[in-house]
Amino acid sequence: MAKKKIKFPYKVILDAPVPVFFVLICTVFFLIDFLLLKNNNSLNLTSSPTTAGGALPFLISQPLSYLRLFLYVFGFSSPQMLVTDLIFIMLLGPAIEERYGSIVIAIMMAVSALFSGVLNACFCKTSLRGASCIIFMLIFLNSFMSLSKKKIPLSFIFVVILYVIREVFEKTAGGVGGAGGAVAILICIAGGLCGSLFAFLTSPKARAEKKASAKNEREALLEEIDSQSPRFQKKSLFGKKRKNDDDDGDDDSDDDSTIVGTLKF
């Protein structure tokens, strides 16, 4: 008797490409940094530039300084920081990507990272690491969905407070205490706000109307193609013939001709 194969009834889908790929890239950077490089090369790759008197000053003539304005969001100083940030991104990211689209959320992430990196290079002597600015951006965007309905969700207030507290402890534990830690948190919040403001340039209603218009054009094109097909023409011709026969039914009754078999006299 052949054994029955057990089939998995569910299909795994890629519902949020941008957050998923972001998490994968962060994980790869973390493994390379801590397992291969032993955290010796972290300041050269995944840390944001600082002021001239800081640990990693921004140099206009150095191309790597410009890359650090984006790469620092993939760097994490501890496994706890990595896991916490990636959980926030995977919880908040899919809803935002579904609302605004993959391209828009990718651009907003880049804008948040760039804005926070530039502010840190201008005002802070310590480097930023991690995706705090992106998480703040996702939190703000989720709150905007409720603010558009003139409601302020209590969960949003708690999330902001808890994440700010977490950032205070993280910056203090990482050696960025006092005013420096407060400045770093404000920089991340400013970067999140800047990235979230980009969402106002892309209205979900406009995207929905564009999608509906494209659907109507596609349906009109299919109807035009169907009207030119032989099947449609044959159907129309048959219907027209039957209509003509019905219209001149009285004339056929007045006809004096006699039909016998297939011969007409």
PDB file of all heavy atoms in Angstrom, residues 251-263:
ATOM      1  N   ASP A 251     -44.609  40.662 -44.827  1.00  0.00           N
ATOM      2  CA  ASP A 251     -44.390  40.566 -46.266  1.00  0.00           C
ATOM      3  C   ASP A 251     -44.327  39.124 -46.705  1.00  0.00           C
ATOM      4  O   ASP A 251     -44.771  38.760 -47.788  1.00  0.00           O
ATOM      5  CB  ASP A 251     -43.104  41.289 -46.636  1.00  0.00           C
ATOM      6  CG  ASP A 251     -43.202  42.773 -46.322  1.00  0.00           C
ATOM      7  OD1 ASP A 251     -44.336  43.277 -46.239  1.00  0.00           O
ATOM      8  OD2 ASP A 251     -42.127  43.420 -46.130  1.00  0.00           O
ATOM      9  N   ASP A 252     -43.789  38.258 -45.859  1.00  0.00           N
ATOM     10  CA  ASP A 252     -43.707  36.850 -46.237  1.00  0.00           C
ATOM     11  C   ASP A 252     -45.096  36.220 -46.304  1.00  0.00           C
ATOM     12  O   ASP A 252     -45.355  35.327 -47.114  1.00  0.00           O
ATOM     13  CB  ASP A 252     -42.855  36.089 -45.222  1.00  0.00           C
ATOM     14  CG  ASP A 252     -41.399  36.556 -45.276  1.00  0.00           C
ATOM     15  OD1 ASP A 252     -41.035  37.154 -46.291  1.00  0.00           O
ATOM     16  OD2 ASP A 252     -40.654  36.329 -44.275  1.00  0.00           O
ATOM     17  N   SER A 253     -45.989  36.709 -45.438  1.00  0.00           N
ATOM     18  CA  SER A 253     -47.340  36.143 -45.455  1.00  0.00           C
ATOM     19  C   SER A 253     -48.126  36.575 -46.686  1.00  0.00           C
ATOM     20  O   SER A 253     -49.025  35.880 -47.141  1.00  0.00           O
ATOM     21  CB  SER A 253     -48.107  36.549 -44.193  1.00  0.00           C
ATOM     22  OG  SER A 253     -48.199  37.965 -44.135  1.00  0.00           O
ATOM     23  N   ASP A 254     -47.795  37.740 -47.253  1.00  0.00           N
ATOM     24  CA  ASP A 254     -48.494  38.228 -48.442  1.00  0.00           C
ATOM     25  C   ASP A 254     -47.895  37.693 -49.720  1.00  0.00           C
ATOM     26  O   ASP A 254     -48.396  37.990 -50.812  1.00  0.00           O
ATOM     27  CB  ASP A 254     -48.475  39.757 -48.458  1.00  0.00           C
ATOM     28  CG  ASP A 254     -49.228  40.327 -47.266  1.00  0.00           C
ATOM     29  OD1 ASP A 254     -50.131  39.635 -46.745  1.00  0.00           O
ATOM     30  OD2 ASP A 254     -48.898  41.482 -46.876  1.00  0.00           O
ATOM     31  N   ASP A 255     -46.787  36.974 -49.602  1.00  0.00           N
ATOM     32  CA  ASP A 255     -46.135  36.478 -50.813  1.00  0.00           C
ATOM     33  C   ASP A 255     -47.012  35.383 -51.432  1.00  0.00           C
ATOM     34  O   ASP A 255     -47.479  34.465 -50.736  1.00  0.00           O
ATOM     35  CB  ASP A 255     -44.763  35.923 -50.440  1.00  0.00           C
ATOM     36  CG  ASP A 255     -43.931  35.650 -51.687  1.00  0.00           C
ATOM     37  OD1 ASP A 255     -44.435  35.892 -52.794  1.00  0.00           O
ATOM     38  OD2 ASP A 255     -42.767  35.185 -51.515  1.00  0.00           O
ATOM     39  N   ASP A 256     -47.294  35.460 -52.757  1.00  0.00           N
ATOM     40  CA  ASP A 256     -48.135  34.484 -53.466  1.00  0.00           C
ATOM     41  C   ASP A 256     -47.379  33.261 -53.895  1.00  0.00           C
ATOM     42  O   ASP A 256     -47.959  32.335 -54.486  1.00  0.00           O
ATOM     43  CB  ASP A 256     -48.756  35.137 -54.722  1.00  0.00           C
ATOM     44  CG  ASP A 256     -49.703  36.263 -54.321  1.00  0.00           C
ATOM     45  OD1 ASP A 256     -50.221  36.191 -53.182  1.00  0.00           O
ATOM     46  OD2 ASP A 256     -49.888  37.184 -55.139  1.00  0.00           O
ATOM     47  N   SER A 257     -46.060  33.248 -53.684  1.00  0.00           N
ATOM     48  CA  SER A 257     -45.270  32.100 -54.130  1.00  0.00           C
ATOM     49  C   SER A 257     -45.555  30.898 -53.257  1.00  0.00           C
ATOM     50  O   SER A 257     -45.959  31.014 -52.095  1.00  0.00           O
ATOM     51  CB  SER A 257     -43.773  32.442 -54.091  1.00  0.00           C
ATOM     52  OG  SER A 257     -43.382  32.761 -52.762  1.00  0.00           O
ATOM     53  N   THR A 258     -45.387  29.721 -53.842  1.00  0.00           N
ATOM     54  CA  THR A 258     -45.625  28.453 -53.149  1.00  0.00           C
ATOM     55  C   THR A 258     -44.319  27.700 -53.046  1.00  0.00           C
ATOM     56  O   THR A 258     -43.572  27.597 -54.020  1.00  0.00           O
ATOM     57  CB  THR A 258     -46.656  27.603 -53.904  1.00  0.00           C
ATOM     58  OG1 THR A 258     -47.843  28.382 -54.093  1.00  0.00           O
ATOM     59  CG2 THR A 258     -46.981  26.316 -53.158  1.00  0.00           C
ATOM     60  N   ILE A 259     -44.114  27.149 -51.875  1.00  0.00           N
ATOM     61  CA  ILE A 259     -42.878  26.410 -51.634  1.00  0.00           C
ATOM     62  C   ILE A 259     -43.221  24.952 -51.473  1.00  0.00           C
ATOM     63  O   ILE A 259     -44.031  24.582 -50.622  1.00  0.00           O
ATOM     64  CB  ILE A 259     -42.145  26.918 -50.388  1.00  0.00           C
ATOM     65  CG1 ILE A 259     -41.793  28.376 -50.566  1.00  0.00           C
ATOM     66  CG2 ILE A 259     -40.914  26.088 -50.107  1.00  0.00           C
ATOM     67  CD1 ILE A 259     -41.147  28.987 -49.361  1.00  0.00           C
ATOM     68  N   VAL A 260     -42.678  24.122 -52.339  1.00  0.00           N
ATOM     69  CA  VAL A 260     -42.867  22.678 -52.243  1.00  0.00           C
ATOM     70  C   VAL A 260     -41.505  22.052 -52.152  1.00  0.00           C
ATOM     71  O   VAL A 260     -40.713  22.129 -53.111  1.00  0.00           O
ATOM     72  CB  VAL A 260     -43.634  22.154 -53.468  1.00  0.00           C
ATOM     73  CG1 VAL A 260     -43.773  20.609 -53.355  1.00  0.00           C
ATOM     74  CG2 VAL A 260     -44.994  22.786 -53.571  1.00  0.00           C
ATOM     75  N   GLY A 261     -41.265  21.451 -51.071  1.00  0.00           N
ATOM     76  CA  GLY A 261     -39.945  20.849 -50.899  1.00  0.00           C
ATOM     77  C   GLY A 261     -38.884  21.934 -50.953  1.00  0.00           C
ATOM     78  O   GLY A 261     -38.926  22.893 -50.215  1.00  0.00           O
ATOM     79  N   THR A 262     -38.017  21.754 -51.915  1.00  0.00           N
ATOM     80  CA  THR A 262     -36.935  22.737 -52.071  1.00  0.00           C
ATOM     81  C   THR A 262     -37.107  23.529 -53.339  1.00  0.00           C
ATOM     82  O   THR A 262     -36.206  24.279 -53.716  1.00  0.00           O
ATOM     83  CB  THR A 262     -35.580  21.992 -52.121  1.00  0.00           C
ATOM     84  OG1 THR A 262     -35.623  21.046 -53.185  1.00  0.00           O
ATOM     85  CG2 THR A 262     -35.312  21.287 -50.802  1.00  0.00           C
ATOM     86  N   LEU A 263     -38.266  23.345 -54.043  1.00  0.00           N
ATOM     87  CA  LEU A 263     -38.482  24.065 -55.272  1.00  0.00           C
ATOM     88  C   LEU A 263     -39.503  25.158 -55.038  1.00  0.00           C
ATOM     89  O   LEU A 263     -40.500  24.968 -54.331  1.00  0.00           O
ATOM     90  CB  LEU A 263     -39.003  23.129 -56.367  1.00  0.00           C
ATOM     91  CG  LEU A 263     -38.077  21.966 -56.755  1.00  0.00           C
ATOM     92  CD1 LEU A 263     -38.742  21.061 -57.790  1.00  0.00           C
ATOM     93  CD2 LEU A 263     -36.766  22.530 -57.289  1.00  0.00           C
TER      94      LEU A 263
END
